[in-house]
Amino acid sequence: MRRAHTALRWGGIADDFTGATDLATNWVARGVRTSVTLGVPTEEELAGLADMDAVVVALKSRTAPVAEAVGESVAALAALRRLGCERIYDKYCSTFDSTPRGNIGPVADALMAGLDTGTAVVVPSFPATGRTVYRGHLFVGDQLLGDSPMRHHPLTPMTDSSLVRLLSPQTTHPVSAVGLDVVRGDPRALRAALDAEAGDGRRYVVVDAIDTEDLTRIAAATAHHPLVTGGSGLALGLPSRGAPATGAMPVIPGHRVVLAGSASAATRAQTDAARSALPSRRLDLAALRADPAAEVARLTDWARTNWSAAPGVPVLVYAVGSLSDVERHTPEGLRPAAELVEEALADCATAFAGAGARQFVVAGGETSGSVVRALGVRRLELGPALAPGVSWALGSAPDGASYNLALKSGNFGGQSLFTSAWEELG
């Protein structure tokens, strides 16, 4: 399946769907023709990807059981290798979302073994979104990760900021760090430092980066590495291949929807800003627990009414308006709120699509995965960028249905995104 023409032959493996579009957006910005497959591609799907410069496999593995996350990642690696990908980008969240057991370390270990390589950099920095690493510590804006709102994440609370301390319990391999002074020194010294760490058996190397020029230096120093790991920022360090590699994206006519499942500070601010401009409803957990189908039907009827009254105006369904809406402790015998929210928003997506919705903005990695799977979409082609790491995309399902989708990490995008995103569709 290897292509005859010269290309970068990058393969990406992302641990959630928004992370996949995030990485693809940054590759496209560097002129790299990129497609996203939602799930491990079949042999037939691989054949349709053979003319791309890069392919990102979107998994829903960030909070999956470790064995499941590793198994899916290894299957994705095998598919990308059959496609001819020579370098692999292990994409995880720029806020290093994980638990003490994984899944960042176990997945990276498996990919390292599959590629038979002895070292990989750890680069979650994405300065355009405020994620930087200095002295091995991850910052979110001007706050250390452990002091940021990520401390309160309902699934992966991040209470430490040292990437060495965070990664070490997740892998049997030694983890070390290279500082900003080395990154900004002689380029040959940075490559030599990374090679020396590998030679000394330190297989993961956390590398400082606080601006895009730092990422450019790291990308050059790791050009010979079969595997890199990190957020999507490192993709911006690649040499540009010309204008952004986006074609004309068809606009699919239909109703417009915002589905926000994330509890992040950025999404809460976007929701708050949008509620004054858009018809909105917050998911009712009690109603979902009592009769989820009835609650989705109620929301669908409400959406139909609003679309009839104001054609072209998006409706907003959200899970969290303020931190007081977050269920900290699941009542005994009941399902966790996160599961209910994911299922409800996925069911809303299919019900709304049945009512004629074709344009969706979806906030939150877990939510995006559930929604896109529910819609049956298997492949995304990137369209106009909306914000760093966020783009419109054309999603296609095997039944012939097509959708315009903007899948965004909970932490990404400006405050007006839910109302301004539609301007790019006309």
Side-chain angles (χ1 to χ4, degrees), residues 43-64:
E43 291 302 314
E44 181 179 358
E45 289 169 335
L46 284 176
L49 296 165
D51 63 343
M52 302 306 296
D53 297 328
V55 173
V56 185
V57 178
L59 303 178
K60 197 168 182 292
S61 59
R62 180 171 300 169
T63 58

Side-chain angles (χ1 to χ4, degrees), residues 258-307:
V258 181
L259 300 174
S262 172
S264 74
T267 296
R268 295 198 311 273
Q270 290 157 352
T271 297
D272 188 56
R275 282 187 297 181
S276 63
L278 305 180
S280 62
R281 285 288 185 274
R282 183 168 70 86
L283 290 175
D284 185 328
L285 287 179
L288 287 174
R289 286 192 167 117
D291 190 339
E295 175 67 357
V296 170
R298 181 184 71 83
L299 290 167
T300 305
D301 288 342
W302 163 80
R304 287 179 187 271
T305 299
N306 281 283
W307 289 325

Side-chain angles (χ1 to χ4, degrees), residues 37-42 45 57-59 71-73 75-77 79 82 378:
T37 70
L38 305 174
V40 178
T42 64
E45 289 169 335
V57 178
L59 303 178
E72 288 188 354
S73 300
L77 173 63
R82 291 198 298 277
R378 289 288 300 170

Side-chain angles (χ1 to χ4, degrees), residues 21 67-68 73 105 144 147 201 211 227 239 253-254 286 294 315 367 374 388 391 393 396 398:
T21 57
E68 179 182 326
S73 300
L144 284 163
D147 297 329
D211 62 25
L227 174 68
V315 298
T367 302
S391 293
S396 304

Side-chain angles (χ1 to χ4, degrees), residues 224-248:
H224 60 304
H225 287 199
L227 174 68
V228 297
T229 87
S232 69
L234 188 57
L236 293 175
L238 292 175
S240 174
R241 304 186 84 202
T246 55

Side-chain angles (χ1 to χ4, degrees), residues 8 12 16 41 65 67 101 114 118 121 135 148 156 211 235 238 241 302 365 380 421 425-426:
L8 293 181
D16 74 357
R101 292 190 61 212
V121 291
R135 294 187 180 273
S148 76
T156 53
D211 62 25
L238 292 175
R241 304 186 84 202
W302 163 80
L380 297 175
L425 294 182

Side-chain angles (χ1 to χ4, degrees), residues 6-29:
T6 300
L8 293 181
R9 292 187 292 271
W10 269 104
I13 301 172
D15 63 2
D16 74 357
F17 286 28
T18 58
T21 57
D22 174 13
L23 175 58
T25 295
N26 286 353
W27 269 336
V28 165

